[in-house]
Amino acid sequence: AYFVLQVIYARRKHKISPPETTGHPEFERIFRAQVNCSEYFPIFLALLWVAGIFFHQGVAALCGLLYLYTRFKYFQGYTVAAQGRLGPLYASARLLWLLLGLAVAGLLAHFLLP
């Protein structure tokens, strides 16, 4: 919701009415950052859910909080400059891979071990 609100504020600041998605470079970066985060959110939720159920709730929750923090830093970095997104982007990708590994390990343990 925070990211969506930032897009609304940027639209007002730069006088860009919906459905336009181009205009001032600052608006375009904010809009793109919000869309990028939205695109990854379903993947994150699915991995978090499976890792929490089949591996460990606490570990999954910690990874989830770290992921949300890295996406927030990604958004902040991207709004300043496109290059500012790279560090947090790589960190959030590593956390998604970790959640995937935890989910797979939990599923394998649940279905293959007695």
PDB file of all heavy atoms in Angstrom, residues 73-87:
ATOM      1  N   LYS A  73      13.915  -1.128   0.633  1.00  0.00           N
ATOM      2  CA  LYS A  73      15.177  -0.468   0.269  1.00  0.00           C
ATOM      3  C   LYS A  73      15.312  -0.396  -1.254  1.00  0.00           C
ATOM      4  O   LYS A  73      15.821   0.587  -1.787  1.00  0.00           O
ATOM      5  CB  LYS A  73      16.380  -1.189   0.881  1.00  0.00           C
ATOM      6  CG  LYS A  73      16.413  -1.190   2.400  1.00  0.00           C
ATOM      7  CD  LYS A  73      16.322   0.213   2.983  1.00  0.00           C
ATOM      8  CE  LYS A  73      17.639   0.941   2.873  1.00  0.00           C
ATOM      9  NZ  LYS A  73      17.602   2.299   3.456  1.00  0.00           N
ATOM     10  N   TYR A  74      14.857  -1.412  -1.955  1.00  0.00           N
ATOM     11  CA  TYR A  74      14.836  -1.410  -3.417  1.00  0.00           C
ATOM     12  C   TYR A  74      14.008  -0.239  -3.920  1.00  0.00           C
ATOM     13  O   TYR A  74      14.433   0.522  -4.789  1.00  0.00           O
ATOM     14  CB  TYR A  74      14.257  -2.742  -3.911  1.00  0.00           C
ATOM     15  CG  TYR A  74      13.896  -2.774  -5.374  1.00  0.00           C
ATOM     16  CD1 TYR A  74      14.841  -3.109  -6.324  1.00  0.00           C
ATOM     17  CD2 TYR A  74      12.601  -2.490  -5.804  1.00  0.00           C
ATOM     18  CE1 TYR A  74      14.511  -3.150  -7.680  1.00  0.00           C
ATOM     19  CE2 TYR A  74      12.266  -2.521  -7.135  1.00  0.00           C
ATOM     20  CZ  TYR A  74      13.221  -2.857  -8.074  1.00  0.00           C
ATOM     21  OH  TYR A  74      12.893  -2.885  -9.401  1.00  0.00           O
ATOM     22  N   PHE A  75      12.811  -0.089  -3.360  1.00  0.00           N
ATOM     23  CA  PHE A  75      11.920   0.993  -3.768  1.00  0.00           C
ATOM     24  C   PHE A  75      12.564   2.344  -3.506  1.00  0.00           C
ATOM     25  O   PHE A  75      12.563   3.224  -4.371  1.00  0.00           O
ATOM     26  CB  PHE A  75      10.582   0.877  -3.020  1.00  0.00           C
ATOM     27  CG  PHE A  75       9.553   1.851  -3.486  1.00  0.00           C
ATOM     28  CD1 PHE A  75       8.731   1.546  -4.549  1.00  0.00           C
ATOM     29  CD2 PHE A  75       9.403   3.080  -2.859  1.00  0.00           C
ATOM     30  CE1 PHE A  75       7.770   2.446  -4.992  1.00  0.00           C
ATOM     31  CE2 PHE A  75       8.450   3.983  -3.299  1.00  0.00           C
ATOM     32  CZ  PHE A  75       7.636   3.669  -4.368  1.00  0.00           C
ATOM     33  N   GLN A  76      13.137   2.513  -2.314  1.00  0.00           N
ATOM     34  CA  GLN A  76      13.794   3.776  -1.983  1.00  0.00           C
ATOM     35  C   GLN A  76      14.952   4.067  -2.932  1.00  0.00           C
ATOM     36  O   GLN A  76      15.117   5.196  -3.391  1.00  0.00           O
ATOM     37  CB  GLN A  76      14.307   3.749  -0.550  1.00  0.00           C
ATOM     38  CG  GLN A  76      13.241   3.901   0.494  1.00  0.00           C
ATOM     39  CD  GLN A  76      13.835   3.952   1.878  1.00  0.00           C
ATOM     40  OE1 GLN A  76      14.801   3.251   2.188  1.00  0.00           O
ATOM     41  NE2 GLN A  76      13.253   4.774   2.739  1.00  0.00           N
ATOM     42  N   GLY A  77      15.773   3.056  -3.207  1.00  0.00           N
ATOM     43  CA  GLY A  77      16.906   3.244  -4.100  1.00  0.00           C
ATOM     44  C   GLY A  77      16.493   3.564  -5.512  1.00  0.00           C
ATOM     45  O   GLY A  77      17.090   4.428  -6.169  1.00  0.00           O
ATOM     46  N   TYR A  78      15.460   2.894  -5.991  1.00  0.00           N
ATOM     47  CA  TYR A  78      14.992   3.091  -7.363  1.00  0.00           C
ATOM     48  C   TYR A  78      14.389   4.481  -7.542  1.00  0.00           C
ATOM     49  O   TYR A  78      14.526   5.093  -8.605  1.00  0.00           O
ATOM     50  CB  TYR A  78      13.964   2.027  -7.719  1.00  0.00           C
ATOM     51  CG  TYR A  78      13.834   1.718  -9.194  1.00  0.00           C
ATOM     52  CD1 TYR A  78      13.189   0.558  -9.604  1.00  0.00           C
ATOM     53  CD2 TYR A  78      14.324   2.555 -10.177  1.00  0.00           C
ATOM     54  CE1 TYR A  78      13.055   0.249 -10.949  1.00  0.00           C
ATOM     55  CE2 TYR A  78      14.185   2.251 -11.525  1.00  0.00           C
ATOM     56  CZ  TYR A  78      13.548   1.099 -11.901  1.00  0.00           C
ATOM     57  OH  TYR A  78      13.412   0.799 -13.233  1.00  0.00           O
ATOM     58  N   THR A  79      13.725   5.005  -6.524  1.00  0.00           N
ATOM     59  CA  THR A  79      13.118   6.322  -6.663  1.00  0.00           C
ATOM     60  C   THR A  79      14.167   7.417  -6.810  1.00  0.00           C
ATOM     61  O   THR A  79      13.904   8.443  -7.433  1.00  0.00           O
ATOM     62  CB  THR A  79      12.194   6.659  -5.476  1.00  0.00           C
ATOM     63  OG1 THR A  79      12.943   6.633  -4.269  1.00  0.00           O
ATOM     64  CG2 THR A  79      11.035   5.687  -5.395  1.00  0.00           C
ATOM     65  N   VAL A  80      15.366   7.198  -6.280  1.00  0.00           N
ATOM     66  CA  VAL A  80      16.447   8.184  -6.389  1.00  0.00           C
ATOM     67  C   VAL A  80      17.168   8.045  -7.726  1.00  0.00           C
ATOM     68  O   VAL A  80      17.394   9.018  -8.429  1.00  0.00           O
ATOM     69  CB  VAL A  80      17.435   8.039  -5.214  1.00  0.00           C
ATOM     70  CG1 VAL A  80      18.625   8.952  -5.391  1.00  0.00           C
ATOM     71  CG2 VAL A  80      16.723   8.307  -3.898  1.00  0.00           C
ATOM     72  N   ALA A  81      17.564   6.808  -8.055  1.00  0.00           N
ATOM     73  CA  ALA A  81      18.276   6.537  -9.314  1.00  0.00           C
ATOM     74  C   ALA A  81      18.103   5.063  -9.649  1.00  0.00           C
ATOM     75  O   ALA A  81      18.053   4.223  -8.753  1.00  0.00           O
ATOM     76  CB  ALA A  81      19.750   6.875  -9.183  1.00  0.00           C
ATOM     77  N   ALA A  82      18.061   4.756 -10.931  1.00  0.00           N
ATOM     78  CA  ALA A  82      17.853   3.363 -11.350  1.00  0.00           C
ATOM     79  C   ALA A  82      18.946   2.448 -10.809  1.00  0.00           C
ATOM     80  O   ALA A  82      18.673   1.307 -10.447  1.00  0.00           O
ATOM     81  CB  ALA A  82      17.782   3.282 -12.873  1.00  0.00           C
ATOM     82  N   GLN A  83      20.170   2.931 -10.716  1.00  0.00           N
ATOM     83  CA  GLN A  83      21.265   2.109 -10.193  1.00  0.00           C
ATOM     84  C   GLN A  83      21.098   1.814  -8.709  1.00  0.00           C
ATOM     85  O   GLN A  83      21.631   0.835  -8.206  1.00  0.00           O
ATOM     86  CB  GLN A  83      22.607   2.802 -10.434  1.00  0.00           C
ATOM     87  CG  GLN A  83      23.010   2.858 -11.894  1.00  0.00           C
ATOM     88  CD  GLN A  83      23.240   1.484 -12.479  1.00  0.00           C
ATOM     89  OE1 GLN A  83      22.299   0.827 -12.925  1.00  0.00           O
ATOM     90  NE2 GLN A  83      24.473   1.053 -12.469  1.00  0.00           N
ATOM     91  N   GLY A  84      20.355   2.648  -7.992  1.00  0.00           N
ATOM     92  CA  GLY A  84      20.158   2.473  -6.559  1.00  0.00           C
ATOM     93  C   GLY A  84      19.365   1.243  -6.188  1.00  0.00           C
ATOM     94  O   GLY A  84      19.318   0.855  -5.023  1.00  0.00           O
ATOM     95  N   ARG A  85      18.759   0.621  -7.155  1.00  0.00           N
ATOM     96  CA  ARG A  85      17.922  -0.561  -6.882  1.00  0.00           C
ATOM     97  C   ARG A  85      18.724  -1.845  -6.862  1.00  0.00           C
ATOM     98  O   ARG A  85      18.249  -2.865  -6.356  1.00  0.00           O
ATOM     99  CB  ARG A  85      16.821  -0.667  -7.932  1.00  0.00           C
ATOM    100  CG  ARG A  85      17.296  -1.190  -9.265  1.00  0.00           C
ATOM    101  CD  ARG A  85      16.247  -1.067 -10.347  1.00  0.00           C
ATOM    102  NE  ARG A  85      16.548  -1.851 -11.515  1.00  0.00           N
ATOM    103  CZ  ARG A  85      17.471  -1.561 -12.429  1.00  0.00           C
ATOM    104  NH1 ARG A  85      18.214  -0.496 -12.295  1.00  0.00           N
ATOM    105  NH2 ARG A  85      17.657  -2.338 -13.473  1.00  0.00           N
ATOM    106  N   LEU A  86      19.935  -1.862  -7.409  1.00  0.00           N
ATOM    107  CA  LEU A  86      20.638  -3.117  -7.670  1.00  0.00           C
ATOM    108  C   LEU A  86      21.018  -3.891  -6.411  1.00  0.00           C
ATOM    109  O   LEU A  86      20.770  -5.102  -6.349  1.00  0.00           O
ATOM    110  CB  LEU A  86      21.869  -2.853  -8.538  1.00  0.00           C
ATOM    111  CG  LEU A  86      21.553  -2.349  -9.943  1.00  0.00           C
ATOM    112  CD1 LEU A  86      22.835  -2.074 -10.706  1.00  0.00           C
ATOM    113  CD2 LEU A  86      20.665  -3.324 -10.679  1.00  0.00           C
ATOM    114  N   GLY A  87      21.607  -3.259  -5.422  1.00  0.00           N
ATOM    115  CA  GLY A  87      21.985  -3.973  -4.196  1.00  0.00           C
ATOM    116  C   GLY A  87      20.792  -4.646  -3.524  1.00  0.00           C
ATOM    117  O   GLY A  87      20.815  -5.860  -3.262  1.00  0.00           O
TER     118      GLY A  87
END
